[in-house]
């Protein structure tokens, strides 16, 4: 017992300063992609050709990246000879609408908060049930880590619970395999209303690297209505936390940016 | 024996692999296993003219040698499983993928619940257009007074992957556990045929997301071997470091989770954080906590400058100090040992019979580790002792992890202190046509085997992936026999197997 207490003293307080302080992210972190289409010569499509996920399109000269498909591998930035595309360290990626994940030249929309009624219900206490539907374990691991002392999700009133009957929302990972489609639907149906659904990771948003496979449904919104999309492969825990807090209206619109 | 022997990693022309008749193939596999070899892979591939060819990859751990056997079974052949239990899951896979029936298989049921790769050839004679439904099959069932059945999953209480567990119980005692998987099946092996594709490396990195480096490494070495390319020494060292960081993160997380499952919260809390500290070291190298984007054919996509290496070594020391403090609490606490010892025991003979790999096999006394037996990346690892325990219980599986943590830290320091100079990436050309390469890496769960076969145009005619979990799920099922059902979470965590690595 005394050894456990001494060790506790030695290991110290380790909870991150975020959201009061900016998050600490690795210098090679690949966050929000930034495009400078002015630098794109006519007819160049090197970035789109380099993308393994089909996330980049060029229509009417406008290059766009669909962050819902993006694996954040950085191959496009490496392939661009004109410096028109780079990944910033901005971790704020979540969006409420699927189309808001498509990044172009203009301003992007950060995830808006729930409406007043839902915010009153869930703003100070949100219980989530997680369903992994073909996820590789990475999105799951970086969701799970939010409950450790590092992120201390409990301080925001957010908690993962064992039963859908006890939950206010569903957090879905994975491309939704054919073999999990029914279980996902049944879990959703078991949630009391009103309820929300959060899709975490490229797989749950678009199918990710498995998009189009016969064995998957290519995203959670093929089965259940999604209220919040959190892109990444996998998203950094801070990106997930940012999305959850924005949904609950607990972050000022522009807060918590590390590097735009 | 009419087999082709190869060192690791080495590519052989497909034409050099003799095709035996089925009785000789069967005899060859059984004799090799009786002589102490293991089935590292056993799979079917489509022949250009139609029909299926079986290939067995047998591993001789003591000699560090691999042998290949091949045969054409026709549409049915006498099952190996009654005489060789470690073939059980492989033969179920062959039946499900290709519709080739291993006659006399004692438990011939679907493994992943997908359509046959050969339309119209279904091992269970299923017709119709509907996809098979997961776990819709007969389960092993016991009946009698006081016996009852407990069904769990696919959706579990925690944030974990889906699987279905069927327990036959008498009171609290588990008499039998059957595990039915396939919920995570994403069609990876089907998609790999005709590859490599632009998405292939991403399939490898997400094959089992917590083993991104392990599988990416096995894949890159397979295609490098087929292309006659050798990654530069600096890249090999960085890849070996990344593989050990992955092991450190997962082993530390597992020890914390084991503590959590018995309600010993200090170690659970500390290790929950420390696991993330190791992930952040991987992110220091490549920006991703799971090592996404780091390992690429020909080497690595990132280099590490001296300042980065110094930072990594400093963080490694600090984190290892805390891990030591957190983990030693386990071994000093009688209530922890009381729960770990004699729980979920797997004997050495059972581990050998089932072909278990990785920490689960080493915890039962099996002296094997592909870092030593089939070295490539950091040959220096071969000099080190392999972490072996004898008791085969939860304690042994936990303690093996702790021994490996210490060894990995030492190894990483050794690599980083003498990082070879030079580039981190060589040009890796296209794979040679009509060739086969076996690539092995020791992921944190154990031996990862990739077998790549190319066709006349150098595309993958077949790409077989064997995640360590594929061997080890049966070990978990048998570890539960005679245990209290309330010990299931603890036993499960002591194996901590991958669902998606199994389901592919």
């Amino acid at each position: 017992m005394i050894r456990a207490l001494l060790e506790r003293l030695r290991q110290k307080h380790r909870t991150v300063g975020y959201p009061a302080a900016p998050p600490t992210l690795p210098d090679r972190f690949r966050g929000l992609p930034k495009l400078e289409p002015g630098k794109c010569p006519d007819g160049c499509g090197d970035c789109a050709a380099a993308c393994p996920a089909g996330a980049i399109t060029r229509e009417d000269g406008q290059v766009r990246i669909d962050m819902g498909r993006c694996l954040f591998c950085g191959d496009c930035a490496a392939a661009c000879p004109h410096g028109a595309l780079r990944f910033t360290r901005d971790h704020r990626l979540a969006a409420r609408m699927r189309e808001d994940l498509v990044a172009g030249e203009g301003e992007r929309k950060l995830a808006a908060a729930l409406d007043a009624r839902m915010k009153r219900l869930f703003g100070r206490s949100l219980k989530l049930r997680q369903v992994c539907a073909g996820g590789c374990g990475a999105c799951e691991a970086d969701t799970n880590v939010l409950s450790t002392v590092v992120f201390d999700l409990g301080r925001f009133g957010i908690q993962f619970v064992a039963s859908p009957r006890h939950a206010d929302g569903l957090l879905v990972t994975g491309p939704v395999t054919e073999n999990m489609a029914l279980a996902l639907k049944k879990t959703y149906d078991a949630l009391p209303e009103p309820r929300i659904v959060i899709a975490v990771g490229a797989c749950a948003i678009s199918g990710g690297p498995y998009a189009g496979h016969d064995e998957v449904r290519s995203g959670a919104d093929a089965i259940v209505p999604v209220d919040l999309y959190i892109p990444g492969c996998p998203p950094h825990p801070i990106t997930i936390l940012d999305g959850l807090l924005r949904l609950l209206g607990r972050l000022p619109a522009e807060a918590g940016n590390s590097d735009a | 024996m009419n087999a082709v022997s190869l060192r690791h990693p080495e590519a052989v022309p497909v034409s050099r692999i003799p095709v035996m008749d089925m009785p000789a193939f069967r005899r060859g596999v059984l004799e090799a296993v009786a002589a102490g070899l293991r089935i590292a892979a056993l799979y079917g591939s489509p022949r250009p003219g139609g029909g299926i060819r079986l290939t067995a990859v047998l591993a001789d751990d003591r000699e560090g040698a691999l042998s290949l056997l091949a045969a054409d079974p026709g549409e049915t052949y006498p099952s190996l499983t009654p005489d060789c239990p470690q073939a059980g899951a492989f033969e179920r896979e062959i039946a499900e993928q290709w519709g080739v029936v291993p006659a006399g298989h004692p438990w011939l049921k679907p493994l992943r619940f997908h359509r046959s790769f050969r339309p119209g050839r279904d091992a269970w004679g299923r017709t119709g257009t509907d996809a098979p439904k997961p776990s819709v099959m007969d389960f092993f069932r016991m009946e009698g007074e006081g016996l009852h059945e407990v069904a769990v999953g696919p959706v579990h209480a925690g944030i974990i992957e889906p699987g279905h567990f069927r327990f036959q119980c008498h009171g609290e005692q588990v008499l039998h556990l059957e595990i039915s998987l396939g919920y995570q099946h994403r069609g990876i092996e089907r998609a790999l045929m005709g590859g490599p594709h632009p998405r292939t490396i991403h399939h490898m990195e997400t094959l089992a997301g917590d083993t991104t480096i392990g599988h990416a490494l096995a894949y890159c070495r397979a295609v490098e071997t087929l292309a006659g390319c050798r990654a530069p020494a600096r890249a090999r060292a960085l890849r070996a470091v990344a593989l050990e960081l992955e092991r450190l993160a997962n082993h530390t997380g597992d020890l914390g989770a084991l503590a959590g499952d018995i309600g010993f919260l200090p170690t659970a809390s500390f290790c929950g954080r420390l696991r993330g500290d190791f992930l952040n070291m991987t992110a220091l190298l490549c920006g991703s906590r799971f090592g996404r984007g780091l390992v690429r054919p020909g080497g690595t996509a990132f280099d590490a400058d001296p300042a980065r290496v110094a930072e990594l070594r400093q963080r490694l020391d600090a984190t290892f100090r805390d891990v030591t403090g957190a983990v030693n609490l386990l071994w000093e606490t009688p209530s922890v040992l009381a729960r770990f010892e004699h729980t979920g025991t797997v004997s050495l003979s059972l581990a050998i019979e089932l072909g278990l790999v990785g920490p689960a096999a080493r915890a039962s006394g099996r002296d094997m580790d592909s870092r030593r037996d089939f070295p490539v990346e950091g040959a220096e690892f071969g000099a080190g002792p392999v972490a072996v325990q004898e008791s085969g219980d939860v304690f042994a599986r936990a303690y093996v992890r702790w021994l490996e943590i210490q060894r990995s830290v030492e190894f990483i320091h050794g690599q980083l202190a003498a990082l070879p100079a030079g580039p981190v990436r060589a040009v890796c050309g296209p794979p040679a046509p009509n060739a086969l390469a076996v690539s092995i890496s020791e992921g944190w769960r154990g031996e990862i085997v990739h077998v790549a076969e190319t066709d006349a145009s150098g595309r993958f005619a077949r790409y077989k992936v064997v995640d360590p979990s594929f061997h080890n799920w049966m070990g978990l099922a048998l570890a539960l026999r005679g245990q209290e059902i309330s010990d299931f979470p603890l036993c499960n965590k002591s194996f901590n197997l991958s669902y998606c690595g199994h389901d592919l």
Side-chain angles (χ1 to χ4, degrees), chain A residues 182-204:
Chain A
L182 180 63
L184 175 61
K185 181 70 169 67
K186 281 186 173 177
T187 308
Y188 175 77
D189 289 343
L191 290 164
E193 291 188 66
R195 55 200 167 189
I196 58 171
V197 176
I198 302 162
V200 171
C203 285

Coordinates of all heavy atoms in Angstrom, one line a residue, chain A residues 182-204:
Chain A
L182 N -26.0 -5.0 -39.0 CA -27.2 -5.3 -38.2 C -27.0 -4.9 -36.8 O -27.8 -4.3 -36.1 CB -27.6 -6.8 -38.4 CG -28.8 -7.2 -37.6 CD1 -30.1 -6.4 -38.1 CD2 -29.1 -8.7 -37.7
A183 N -25.8 -5.3 -36.3 CA -25.5 -5.0 -34.8 C -25.4 -3.5 -34.6 O -25.9 -3.1 -33.5 CB -24.2 -5.7 -34.4
L184 N -24.9 -2.8 -35.6 CA -24.9 -1.3 -35.4 C -26.3 -0.7 -35.4 O -26.6 0.1 -34.5 CB -24.1 -0.7 -36.6 CG -24.0 0.8 -36.6 CD1 -23.4 1.4 -35.4 CD2 -23.3 1.3 -37.9
K185 N -27.1 -1.2 -36.3 CA -28.5 -0.7 -36.3 C -29.2 -1.1 -35.0 O -30.0 -0.2 -34.5 CB -29.2 -1.4 -37.6 CG -30.6 -0.9 -37.8 CD -30.7 0.5 -38.2 CE -32.1 1.0 -38.7 NZ -33.1 1.0 -37.6
K186 N -29.1 -2.3 -34.6 CA -29.8 -2.7 -33.3 C -29.3 -1.9 -32.1 O -30.1 -1.6 -31.3 CB -29.5 -4.2 -33.1 CG -30.3 -5.1 -33.9 CD -30.1 -6.6 -33.4 CE -31.1 -7.5 -34.1 NZ -30.8 -8.9 -33.7
T187 N -28.0 -1.6 -32.1 CA -27.5 -0.8 -31.0 C -28.1 0.6 -31.0 O -28.5 1.2 -30.0 CB -25.9 -0.7 -31.0 OG1 -25.4 -2.1 -31.1 CG2 -25.3 -0.1 -29.8
Y188 N -28.1 1.2 -32.2 CA -28.7 2.5 -32.4 C -30.2 2.5 -31.9 O -30.6 3.4 -31.2 CB -28.6 2.9 -33.9 CG -29.3 4.3 -34.2 CD1 -28.7 5.5 -33.8 CD2 -30.5 4.3 -34.8 CE1 -29.3 6.7 -34.0 CE2 -31.1 5.5 -35.1 CZ -30.5 6.7 -34.7 OH -31.1 7.9 -34.9
D189 N -30.9 1.5 -32.4 CA -32.3 1.4 -32.0 C -32.5 1.3 -30.5 O -33.6 1.6 -30.0 CB -33.0 0.2 -32.8 CG -33.1 0.5 -34.3 OD1 -33.0 1.6 -34.7 OD2 -33.3 -0.5 -35.0
A190 N -31.5 0.7 -29.8 CA -31.7 0.5 -28.4 C -31.4 1.8 -27.6 O -31.7 1.9 -26.4 CB -30.7 -0.6 -27.9
L191 N -30.9 2.9 -28.3 CA -30.6 4.1 -27.6 C -32.0 4.9 -27.3 O -32.8 5.0 -28.3 CB -29.7 5.0 -28.4 CG -28.3 4.7 -28.6 CD1 -27.7 5.5 -29.7 CD2 -27.5 5.0 -27.3
P192 N -32.2 5.4 -26.1 CA -33.4 6.2 -26.0 C -33.3 7.5 -26.8 O -32.2 8.0 -27.0 CB -33.4 6.5 -24.5 CG -32.0 6.2 -24.0 CD -31.4 5.3 -24.9
E193 N -34.4 8.1 -27.2 CA -34.4 9.4 -27.9 C -34.4 10.5 -26.9 O -35.0 10.3 -25.8 CB -35.5 9.4 -28.9 CG -35.4 8.5 -30.0 CD -36.4 8.6 -31.1 OE1 -36.4 9.7 -31.7 OE2 -37.2 7.7 -31.3
P194 N -34.0 11.7 -27.2 CA -33.2 12.0 -28.4 C -31.8 11.5 -28.3 O -31.3 11.3 -27.2 CB -33.2 13.5 -28.4 CG -33.2 13.9 -26.9 CD -34.1 12.8 -26.3
R195 N -31.2 11.2 -29.5 CA -29.9 10.6 -29.5 C -29.0 11.2 -30.6 O -29.6 11.7 -31.5 CB -30.0 9.1 -29.7 CG -30.8 8.7 -31.0 CD -31.4 7.3 -30.9 NE -32.4 7.2 -32.0 CZ -33.2 6.2 -32.1 NH1 -33.2 5.2 -31.3 NH2 -34.1 6.1 -33.1
I196 N -27.7 11.1 -30.4 CA -26.8 11.6 -31.4 C -25.9 10.5 -31.9 O -25.7 9.5 -31.2 CB -26.0 12.8 -30.9 CG1 -25.2 12.4 -29.6 CG2 -26.9 14.0 -30.6 CD1 -24.2 13.5 -29.2
V197 N -25.3 10.7 -33.1 CA -24.3 9.8 -33.6 C -23.1 10.5 -34.0 O -23.1 11.5 -34.7 CB -24.9 9.0 -34.8 CG1 -23.8 8.1 -35.4 CG2 -26.1 8.2 -34.4
I198 N -21.9 10.0 -33.6 CA -20.6 10.6 -34.0 C -19.8 9.6 -34.8 O -19.6 8.4 -34.3 CB -19.9 11.0 -32.7 CG1 -20.7 11.9 -31.8 CG2 -18.5 11.6 -33.0 CD1 -20.3 12.1 -30.4
A199 N -19.4 9.9 -35.9 CA -18.6 9.1 -36.8 C -17.1 9.5 -36.6 O -16.7 10.6 -36.9 CB -19.0 9.1 -38.2
V200 N -16.3 8.6 -36.1 CA -14.9 8.9 -35.9 C -14.0 8.1 -36.9 O -14.0 6.9 -37.0 CB -14.5 8.5 -34.4 CG1 -13.0 8.6 -34.2 CG2 -15.2 9.5 -33.5
G201 N -13.2 8.9 -37.6 CA -12.2 8.3 -38.5 C -12.7 8.2 -40.0 O -13.9 8.1 -40.3
A202 N -11.7 8.1 -40.9 CA -12.0 8.0 -42.3 C -12.9 6.9 -42.6 O -13.8 7.0 -43.5 CB -10.7 7.9 -43.1
C203 N -12.7 5.7 -42.0 CA -13.5 4.5 -42.3 C -15.0 4.8 -42.0 O -15.9 4.5 -42.8 CB -13.1 3.3 -41.5 SG -11.5 2.6 -42.1
A204 N -15.3 5.4 -40.8 CA -16.7 5.6 -40.4 C -17.3 6.7 -41.2 O -18.5 6.7 -41.3 CB -16.7 5.9 -38.9

